[in-house]
Amino acid sequence: MNIIQVFSTPIWNSEFPDFQNQKQSFLDCVAEYKKNNPDSGSRSNISGYESPMKLTNEPAFAPLFEFVAQMGMKANFDNQFVDCDVYITSAWANINDNRAAHNHEHVHSDTYSGVFYLQVPEKSGKISFTNPGLNKLWQGTMLSESKNKFTAEHLKFEPKEGQIYIWPSYLPHSVMPNDHDDARISISFNIICIPKENIPHTK
C-alpha cells in the first residue's frame, strides 16, 4: 500500500551570524524601549511584558531585520512563491521574567511569523506549535504510542540564544512558562510578501 503525503507545514530555522557582537546592543535597546513604553497592553503574553509592535523603527535592530528578510526570501523559494518583495510589518519584544509568564496559543496575520531568541536562561519556556491538521474530534491521537508527524498534536522547540524560527503565520503556537524567575527575552515579528507586479512603480 502506498502512502500519499498531501499537506505539510514548514518551519525554518537559522542562527543570526553576528549574534555575539550585537547581543548587548540589542539588550540595551530592549531595556530602553521598555523604559519608554512600560505598558503596551498585552496581546498574547500573560504575566510578562509585550512591547508595542514598532521595533522595526529602532536602528539598532536593522542588522537583525535584514537577516530576517533574507530568511523570508528563502522561505518564498521553498514555497515556490512568485517573485515577491519581503516586508517586516511589525516586531516586538517579549520579556517573560517570572514562572507565571507565558504566551497563550494564537496565530498571526500576514505571510510568515517568527521569533528571535535574545536572552535565554537555562530551563526557559519552550515554544510549542500545534498541528493545524488535527482537531479534537479525531480519535487517532490516542492510538499512537509514539507520536509522529502524522499523529503529534504539538511540537516543542527548546529556545537557544541567537536562534531564529520562521513559520507560516497560520500555524498556531504558544510559549510555555519558565522554570525560574530570570528574564527570557525574545523578539517576535511578522512578514508580508507582496508580488512585485502588484507594487506600483514610480517614475
Side-chain angles (χ1 to χ4, degrees):
M1 180 172 66
N2 297 324
I3 183 170
I4 302 174
Q5 300 186 39
V6 293
F7 300 114
S8 179
T9 302
I11 297 176
W12 294 269
N13 169 244
S14 188
E15 183 174 349
F16 182 57
D18 200 29
F19 176 66
Q20 292 302 328
N21 291 331
Q22 298 283 352
K23 179 181 177 181
Q24 191 57 53
S25 66
F26 290 165
L27 287 171
D28 291 343
C29 185
V30 168
E32 183 68 18
Y33 203 76
K34 181 181 179 182
K35 178 181 177 181
N36 294 331
N37 301 273
D39 184 14
S40 67
S42 179
R43 295 168 295 279
S44 70
N45 194 297
I46 308 298
S47 298
Y49 172 77
E50 192 172 8
S51 82
M53 303 172 70
K54 297 181 179 180
L55 281 185
T56 51
N57 296 333
E58 297 298 315
F61 282 106
L64 172 65
F65 296 137
E66 289 175 6
F67 185 77
V68 165
Q70 293 174 14
M71 290 184 66
M73 294 295 290
K74 176 60 168 62
N76 285 350
F77 177 82
D78 292 339
N79 279 327
Q80 300 180 6
F81 283 177
V82 298
D83 194 16
C84 291
D85 284 319
V86 173
Y87 300 93
I88 300 173
T89 57
S90 57
W92 61 98
N94 292 283
I95 304 177
N96 290 6
D97 55 1
N98 60 81
R99 294 169 192 259
H102 64 283
N103 293 69
H104 64 71
E105 185 174 288
H106 59 288
V107 296
H108 295 207
S109 59
D110 295 339
T111 311
Y112 304 114
S113 298
V115 62
F116 164 66
Y117 292 109
L118 177 53
Q119 179 173 289
V120 183
E122 188 176 353
K123 296 184 179 180
S124 289
K126 296 179 181 179
I127 186 169
S128 176
F129 296 97
T130 300
N131 187 342
L134 302 183
N135 62 60
K136 298 182 183 302
L137 297 179
W138 189 54
Q139 301 284 318
T141 53
M142 66 185 70
L143 302 177
S144 178
E145 294 181 354
S146 178
K147 301 298 184 184
N148 55 52
K149 62 183 178 181
F150 301 118
T151 61
E153 299 166 89
H154 302 281
L155 176 66
K156 298 179 176 66
F157 289 132
E158 191 85 41
K160 295 182 179 179
E161 290 187 358
Q163 291 287 303
I164 304 172
Y165 290 95
I166 289 179
W167 57 87
S169 54
Y170 63 75
L171 184 61
H173 56 283
S174 59
V175 178
M176 303 173 69
N178 295 339
D179 289 338
H180 53 70
D181 294 324
D182 298 326
R184 169 194 183 277
I185 303 175
S186 63
I187 307 298
S188 297
F189 51 85
N190 290 319
I191 298 172
I192 194 168
C193 303
I194 301 177
K196 290 187 175 181
E197 62 267 23
N198 289 350
I199 300 175
H201 296 283
T202 58
K203 296 182 179 180

